[in-house]
Amino acid sequence: MSSSPAPGQHPSRSRPRSPAPIPKAQPQPQPQPQPKPTATPWVDPAALPRATPAALAFCDAAAIRGRAPARAKQLALNTFAAYGVGADAAAFGHAAGRRVRFTAIDVEDAGGGEGNTDTAKTRMVTVLAEVVVDKSMVNGNGMMHGGCIAYLIDKLRVPPCGSTPLVVLGLLRGRNGVGVTQALNILYHAPAPIADPKFRGTTLEIVSTSLALGGRSMTARCEIFDKSTGRLVASAFINKMEPKL
């Protein structure tokens, strides 16, 4: 038998049942942020020893002209001395590299003006250096060896002559401009004879300019001139990459 509603109670107005309580969602543990690994620079200019006459014959940063900050000039010299030349006299290129004399380091801002060291506006760095051709740099014919020219370009661009503007630009932008060579394209235009009584002593002027400083890739241009005649001896484009350690 079906149960009947209580007297006076409408069948459709029976008391509804209370819904079952919905269990509260338990808070999920939030993942803890992991500390980012500290990037290790390939070569940190600020951590290198100060350039001394043992590594560079011309190691006085105060004698370098140009509107780059004094600190950038000094760190560029330190990088060239430690990384481009080294302390071991038997190392490749040591004799030639230590004779390089930096004469000027200039900066140019995004508006084309010189001397603005605002890291956000510095777009280009130009480095001037000189070296006198001697017997440690020449081939059997008394002309500067193409391998020595390549060494000077590669090193002036990185830490030798060709790469130094990238080092300085990195310092001004709070970046690391020291890397390893990825590509080096050189054109040899004219010979450079040794400084000897048979010849007119050849002083070479090296002009290196930064072109681009990206996330890991960086590019510079370098030209080498006979200072006395203005004749172009060699020109090059260099591309570098900062390796991941």
Side-chain angles (χ1 to χ4, degrees), residues 24-127:
K24 293 183 178 180
Q26 296 297 320
Q28 297 297 320
Q30 297 297 319
Q32 296 297 319
Q34 298 297 319
K36 293 182 179 180
T38 302
T40 303
W42 169 240
V43 174
D44 182 3
L48 296 175
R50 191 179 184 89
T52 65
L56 286 182
F58 307 98
C59 60
D60 183 8
I64 300 175
R65 304 187 312 274
R67 301 180 184 180
R71 179 177 181 272
K73 292 177 181 178
Q74 184 62 62
L75 293 185
L77 271 187
N78 298 349
T79 306
F80 181 76
Y83 184 42
V85 179
D88 187 352
F92 177 81
H94 178 90
R98 72 178 308 273
R99 301 300 303 171
V100 171
R101 180 169 69 94
F102 289 90
T103 59
I105 301 179
D106 264 321
V107 299
E108 182 179 308
D109 63 32
E114 294 183 351
N116 190 325
T117 56
D118 186 330
T119 58
K121 293 184 177 181
T122 301
R123 71 168 186 177
M124 183 183 297
V125 174
T126 299
V127 174

Side-chain angles (χ1 to χ4, degrees), residues 105-188:
I105 301 179
D106 264 321
V107 299
E108 182 179 308
D109 63 32
E114 294 183 351
N116 190 325
T117 56
D118 186 330
T119 58
K121 293 184 177 181
T122 301
R123 71 168 186 177
M124 183 183 297
V125 174
T126 299
V127 174
L128 303 182
E130 294 180 0
V131 66
V132 177
V133 180
D134 65 21
K135 64 180 181 179
S136 69
M137 307 174 190
V138 300
N139 56 25
N141 199 32
M143 304 293 176
M144 177 175 265
H145 194 286
C148 185
I149 290 176
Y151 163 78
L152 292 174
I153 291 173
D154 185 38
K155 290 308 175 183
L156 266 183
R157 166 222 72 154
V158 178
C161 309
S163 304
T164 302
L166 295 173
V167 174
V168 175
L169 185 60
L171 290 169
L172 296 180
R173 290 186 180 177
R175 300 273 304 284
N176 191 292
V178 185
V180 294
T181 302
Q182 187 180 41
L184 178 58
N185 186 15
I186 304 175
L187 290 177
Y188 297 96

Side-chain angles (χ1 to χ4, degrees), residues 5-26:
Q9 182 180 8
H10 194 277
S12 62
R13 295 181 180 176
S14 57
R15 192 170 186 178
R17 295 181 179 180
S18 300
I22 300 175
K24 293 183 178 180
Q26 296 297 320

